[in-house]
Amino acid sequence: MDALAVSLLTGLADAASLFLVASGLTVIFGVTRVVNFAHGSLYLLGAYIGWSLLTRLPHSPLGFLLGALATIIALAVIGMALEMALLRRVYRVPELFQLLATFGVVLMVQDIAQYFWGAEDLTLPRPPWLRAFVLIGNQRFPRFDLVIIILFPLVFGVLWLLFRRTRWGRLVRAATEDREMVAALGVDQRRLFTSVFALGAGLAGLGGVLALPDASANLQMDLSSVTDAFVVVVVGGLGSLPGAALASLLIGLLQSFGIMLIPRATLALVFVVMAVVLILRPNGLLGRPISGSGGGTPALVRPAPMALRAAGGAALCAALLAPFYLGDYALAIATEMLIAMLFAASLHFMMGPGGMASFGHAAWFGIGAYASAFAAHLLAAPMPLGLALAPLAAGVLAVAFGAFVVRLSGVYLAMLTLAFAEIAWAIAFQWVDLTGGDNGILGVWPAPWAAGPRGFYWLALGVTVGGTLALRHLLATPFGYSLRGARDSRLRAEAIGIPAARIQLAAFTLAGAAAGLAGGLYAYAKGSVFPTYISLGHSVDALLMVLLGGVATMSGPILGALAYTGLYDLLLAATSLWRLVLGAAIIVLVLAFPEGIAGAILRLWTRLRPA
Amino acid sequence: MKSPGPVLLVENLHKSFGGVAAVAGVSFALDAGEMLALIGPNGAGKSTCFNMLSGQIRPDSGAVMLNGEAVGGMAPRAIWRRGVGRTFQITATFASMTVRENVQMALISHHHRLWRSLRPARRLFVAEAEALLGPVGMAEQAERAAGELAYGDLKRLELAIALAHAPRLLLMDEPTAGMAPAERGGLMALARRLANARDIAVLFTEHDMDVVFGIADRILVLDRGRLIAEGSGAEIRADPRVRAIYLGSGETSGGH
């Protein structure tokens, strides 16, 4: 009984921490419609700045209170600066490019934090008042966590009053409901957006500083917190404050009781909850369909000009001959680039023409890799069979899962794919008997004819070029046009007999299968398979490659994969602050070329060509 | 073979949203080659009616008979396959495709080539698409992106798309909204010619009363979800209830 009570309290404390970060995220999204990936970075900065302040202030409750307040103010100022310097410039670009820009901020903040505070985890000195426990029966519960629990209704109440009782709050709610109308009524949107950002950042800062006594300030807390916060926001319904509170409670309590009941399922539990909620309620628990997200008119898609085809042909020739002028190491890197291209092209297929962005595309890559590894180990299958099983396994799972995915759209769709990827990752990580867990599966060797760097490079080239050209050709067929049609106007598609959902499911399956093929290839290239292949970071890699290159044409993901892997390798070798440079480069690209590298080249080409 | 009886027969159609009746017991019939206008003030239920006929909205009750077959509650795709083409009040086209490709997609779908063909879509049914673009005056703009068309041109494109599968029934929701007055007559005269030449039944809503009275064979007047009048232009002009709702004398408003 006492253990249950402690679990309940632990769950409530978790819920309170989740709510502090998620409430800011959901309010920011509601008003600005920006998917702010950098919200976790604000939380991280809250923890680090809080640490710097609290270690210098007296280690008393009053010192803590002052430090926390100062942190909130500091983060609010940082949030305002971020909004005015960056986000204000990207409100008009498609939402995925906003995401890309905020991800650039994530990378930059990681290096900034490491530069100022070092790579070590930073913990607070724990004076007696912070170590104190309350006794519940014979169980001990940290007294500080009770404070956090009390903050939950307190913060919710304050926000509620702020939104219901003040003119500013009414404007925020009005802007969440109908942005255009509020603008038409002459409200200064810029100040409204900036102030909302400051509020959200301040809340994230409070969350960060409150994480210090029980844990630490560390460089991983940005992505882990923003993932959790997004889950809460999506489960609650984008933009809904009561929804975020409800979802925080649900997830906090499920997590703490889940550890008691099924310890092995804890990593996936949150994402299982999100998947179930999204399948049953496509707009979250208390959310409403989102009206008019920005983005503008999709650009006309034309067949590639002859010059571009010629350039592609020349590049292919150069690639074919590469083993004759590149060394083994360079060939190994080139092989990885080729696999990245196929991976990026597969995501582009569903994301560009299909309009279905995925935050979890690494799932299919990983499933393909594991399928090849299982084939090699359990079936002792030869490489061609192992390679064939990779897209098959990914495709079969994608068609089963995709049936739920294509019922959603936008951020909800992306988050459901993330849920599936995280569940797949948790299985790969925790089912040690089958997958070897963190140790992975080693000894996935290619056939003798492809064992050398040259042989495998040509294999990778053949598979990537074949796979990419096949996807490209499909986009030109009636099926590919139908996919684009369903994206442009689902209403029109259905009104001329195009089964939009079935077309999208087919595209989702093909994208999954192609990513699986890339994964299988990667397994044989590396000789091993690890859960990291399915990690969020790997999914984000794919997303970055596609967005950098541009979503409009098939050359986008190819160029994007080249630029991203090339930039990455170059920066890694050249500077220890590679994240800072890469993040800044991404932000500059978004601001300068919102249509991606391929789009920018095409624009330049059409402008320079004599009419 | 022409089936006897009306192309479209609507009986006692009902639809409520959250307890508010948008369409409350509408019945009418429409013959081949006939142009029927559905008019009424804003919020009268015109678009709801349209969306129930073409499947975007499921009726609560009542029957929609198309050539004698009950199609009420069917999906838009199924109703389209049975020979109903439509245009939308807020135009819906594929912005990332050219004008011609938009029409080609309707042709490709009609000829069941969505899944079966591995040939590039832009090479399929080119001549047929051109033949549809000519009459609506969009042949010169065939290569332009649908996303950059003027509003009136989008309406014309939608008409070409709606005609691609040789429909028996054409539903046009505000076909001339956003067009210059001079263009309006032209587009509706074209619809008139098509209705006569191909024996298509046409149902349209329209705010421009010159267009309505100039072109429609028969007019239905909808107010608050109910049909309050039906007849020729002259009959409608003379109807006191119609005068009341449009001119607002207030004497018999609501009429029940």
Side-chain angles (χ1 to χ4, degrees):
Chain A
M1 204 50 227
D2 301 337
L4 270 184
V6 169
S7 277
L8 178 69
L9 287 174
T10 310
L12 287 175
D14 286 350
S17 310
L18 281 173
F19 178 70
L20 286 177
V21 186
S23 56
L25 187 63
T26 207
V27 171
I28 288 175
F29 179 87
V31 175
T32 65
R33 294 283 193 277
V34 169
V35 180
N36 181 23
F37 235 81
H39 203 67
S41 305
L42 297 170
Y43 174 77
L44 173 145
L45 284 177
Y48 276 106
I49 291 173
W51 181 87
S52 289
L53 291 170
L54 293 179
T55 45
R56 284 169 179 80
L57 285 163
H59 299 165
S60 64
L62 183 66
F64 193 95
L65 185 66
L66 286 176
L69 284 175
T71 309
I72 294 175
I73 293 167
L75 262 294
V77 171
I78 292 174
M80 275 166 79
L82 182 66
E83 198 275 342
M84 293 199 281
L86 175 65
L87 289 152
R88 180 168 287 181
R89 294 172 210 285
V90 298
Y91 289 135
R92 292 274 157 218
V93 306
E95 59 184 10
L96 280 168
F97 287 87
Q98 299 171 343
L99 182 93
L100 188 62
T102 61
F103 195 76
V105 175
V106 171
L107 288 172
M108 290 179 74
V109 169
Q110 277 177 352
D111 263 1
I112 291 168
Q114 184 168 353
Y115 182 81
F116 283 111
W117 287 283
E120 297 291 313
D121 289 9
L122 300 179
T123 50
L124 274 189
R126 287 162 63 88
W129 72 270
L130 261 183
R131 285 200 305 263
F133 284 94
V134 290
L135 278 178
I136 295 163
N138 57 359
Q139 302 266 337
R140 305 205 305 173
F141 185 75
R143 205 170 63 184
F144 182 76
D145 285 7
L146 283 181
V147 177
I148 295 185
I149 293 176
I150 294 166
L151 270 176
F152 188 175
L154 212 63
V155 170
F156 180 75
V158 168
L159 288 176
W160 184 258
L161 287 177
L162 200 61
F163 288 140
R164 296 278 149 179
R165 291 275 182 270
T166 67
R167 181 182 135 78
W168 179 83
R170 277 198 296 275
L171 285 179
V172 167
R173 282 194 299 134
T176 307
E177 303 252 319
D178 190 338
R179 195 156 63 161
E180 281 69 31
M181 192 58 210
V182 172
L185 291 175
V187 173
D188 183 352
Q189 290 223 32
R190 290 156 73 100
R191 269 176 38 205
L192 190 65
F193 283 19
T194 310
S195 55
V196 162
F197 227 89
L199 174 74
L203 285 167
L206 177 61
V209 89
L210 291 179
L212 286 171
D214 286 339
S216 63
N218 61 71
L219 292 171
Q220 289 77 47
M221 63 197 300
D222 53 352
L223 280 188
S224 61
S225 71
V226 81
T227 315
D228 288 349
F230 259 116
V231 169
V232 167
V233 167
V234 162
V235 166
L238 287 164
S240 164
L241 190 67
L246 190 64
S248 299
L249 269 179
L250 177 73
I251 287 168
L253 291 174
L254 267 172
Q255 249 175 343
S256 77
F257 285 105
I259 290 178
M260 273 174 59
L261 299 174
I262 23 173
R264 267 163 64 104
T266 49
L267 286 177
L269 190 63
V270 172
F271 295 98
V272 173
V273 171
M274 178 165 77
V276 170
V277 167
L278 284 183
I279 287 166
L280 296 177
R281 292 188 63 88
N283 292 306
L285 292 173
L286 300 181
R288 273 183 273 179
I290 302 164
S291 65
S293 61
T297 318
L300 180 67
V301 175
R302 291 284 72 207
M306 275 316 290
L308 187 65
R309 286 166 192 242
L316 184 58
C317 286
L320 266 172
L321 299 175
F324 300 114
Y325 57 85
L326 283 184
D328 283 359
Y329 177 70
L331 271 187
I333 293 208
T335 304
E336 277 191 41
M337 280 185 168
L338 285 171
I339 296 170
M341 279 181 203
L342 182 56
F343 185 36
S346 70
L347 176 60
H348 167 266
F349 190 74
M350 59 180 280
M351 187 170 140
M356 299 177 283
S358 170
F359 292 168
H361 203 57
W364 317 113
F365 185 94
I367 286 164
Y370 274 101
S372 289
F374 292 150
H377 273 227
L378 306 177
L379 311 175
M383 186 182 76
L385 181 62
L387 267 184
L389 280 175
L392 197 68
V396 166
L397 286 169
V399 77
F401 180 70
F404 299 107
V405 172
V406 297
R407 294 170 52 213
L408 309 182
S409 62
V411 180
Y412 289 108
L413 186 152
M415 288 302 282
L416 186 57
T417 60
L418 171 69
F420 182 78
E422 290 293 313
I423 292 164
W425 174 81
I427 291 171
F429 188 74
Q430 289 187 311
W431 196 348
V432 179
D433 295 343
L434 185 68
T435 64
D438 216 9
N439 296 324
I441 302 173
L442 307 179
V444 187
W445 299 122
W449 56 266
R454 284 183 172 197
F456 201 86
Y457 170 82
W458 273 318
L459 171 71
L461 184 66
V463 170
T464 295
V465 171
T468 311
L469 284 181
L471 290 178
R472 182 175 177 274
H473 180 75
L474 275 176
L475 289 180
T477 65
F479 164 72
Y481 267 65
S482 304
L483 184 62
R484 205 136 53 75
R487 175 200 68 185
D488 286 359
S489 171
R490 201 185 177 97
L491 181 66
R492 172 49 70 195
E494 293 282 345
I496 58 167
I498 295 174
R502 243 181 291 159
I503 296 271
Q504 285 176 328
L505 179 57
F508 188 81
T509 307
L510 282 167
L517 182 59
L521 210 50
Y522 198 68
Y524 283 106
K526 292 278 160 182
S528 49
V529 176
F530 299 102
T532 49
Y533 292 8
I534 314 180
S535 66
L536 174 62
H538 199 217
S539 292
V540 171
D541 284 343
L543 211 54
L544 288 177
M545 290 189 272
V546 173
L547 291 172
L548 277 180
V551 290
T553 64
M554 200 71 198
S555 49
I558 310 282
L559 289 175
L562 264 179
Y564 183 68
T565 51
L567 207 58
Y568 186 91
D569 287 338
L570 269 179
L571 288 175
L572 212 52
T575 168
S576 58
L577 293 177
W578 63 272
R579 289 189 204 89
L580 188 72
V581 182
L582 185 63
I586 288 172
I587 291 171
V588 169
L589 277 173
V590 170
L591 294 179
F593 309 116
E595 71 275 67
I597 299 170
I601 291 176
L602 198 68
R603 192 182 51 176
L604 207 64
W605 166 260
T606 41
R607 194 186 296 167
L608 290 181
R609 201 178 45 172
Chain B
M1 277 267 297
K2 253 171 81 171
S3 49
V7 172
L8 177 69
L9 186 64
V10 175
E11 275 175 352
N12 208 16
L13 210 53
H14 281 267
K15 182 72 193 180
S16 301
F17 296 108
V20 180
V23 173
V26 167
S27 305
F28 63 90
L30 176 57
D31 287 324
E34 186 184 22
M35 286 194 85
L36 179 62
L38 184 62
I39 64 170
N42 284 329
K46 302 185 298 280
S47 283
T48 305
C49 246
F50 258 65
N51 286 334
M52 283 192 282
L53 299 183
S54 57
Q56 276 80 20
I57 293 177
R58 243 188 121 79
D60 290 340
S61 65
V64 181
M65 309 293 287
L66 190 68
N67 295 315
E69 183 189 8
V71 300
M74 280 186 182
R77 274 182 283 138
I79 292 177
W80 178 82
R81 291 254 176 241
R82 283 163 174 78
V84 179
R86 81 162 286 179
T87 69
F88 293 96
Q89 187 172 3
I90 298 165
T91 55
T93 56
F94 303 142
S96 72
M97 298 178 201
T98 63
V99 166
R100 187 195 297 116
E101 284 167 345
N102 268 275
V103 182
Q104 281 172 285
M105 283 314 291
L107 288 161
I108 286 168
S109 178
H110 176 54
H111 291 282
H112 298 278
R113 291 288 180 280
L114 286 177
W115 300 94
R116 287 189 213 158
S117 177
L118 282 177
R119 290 183 56 201
R122 66 194 170 82
R123 302 231 178 92
L124 299 171
F125 305 107
V126 179
E128 290 89 336
E130 300 278 356
L132 285 157
L133 286 173
V136 300
M138 290 296 290
E140 295 82 44
Q141 304 196 66
E143 290 288 338
R144 285 189 70 192
E148 58 185 39
L149 290 182
Y151 199 66
D153 289 341
L154 276 173
K155 292 276 185 189
R156 271 193 269 267
L157 171 57
E158 275 209 321
L159 182 55
I161 294 171
L163 291 170
H165 68 322
R168 302 290 313 279
L169 170 65
L170 182 60
L171 303 173
M172 300 170 82
D173 200 353
E174 298 280 348
T176 70
M179 283 186 165
E183 287 184 301
R184 292 181 184 176
L187 185 86
M188 292 315 287
L190 169 69
R192 167 91 269 174
R193 283 199 301 279
L194 289 166
N196 290 348
R198 304 186 188 182
D199 224 17
I200 301 173
V202 179
L203 177 68
F204 68 102
T205 67
E206 183 55 61
H207 269 112
D208 185 333
M209 289 304 142
D210 291 340
V211 169
V212 170
F213 288 101
I215 224 92
D217 297 312
R218 205 150 49 90
I219 298 169
L220 301 172
V221 185
L222 205 59
D223 184 38
R224 300 181 199 187
R226 290 170 194 280
L227 277 185
I228 57 160
E230 178 178 353
S232 68
E235 287 162 350
I236 293 298
R237 271 188 227 271
D239 193 303
R241 285 165 303 181
V242 178
R243 299 183 74 86
I245 63 164
Y246 274 101
L247 303 176
S249 71
E251 45 189 335
T252 56
S253 179
H256 52 117

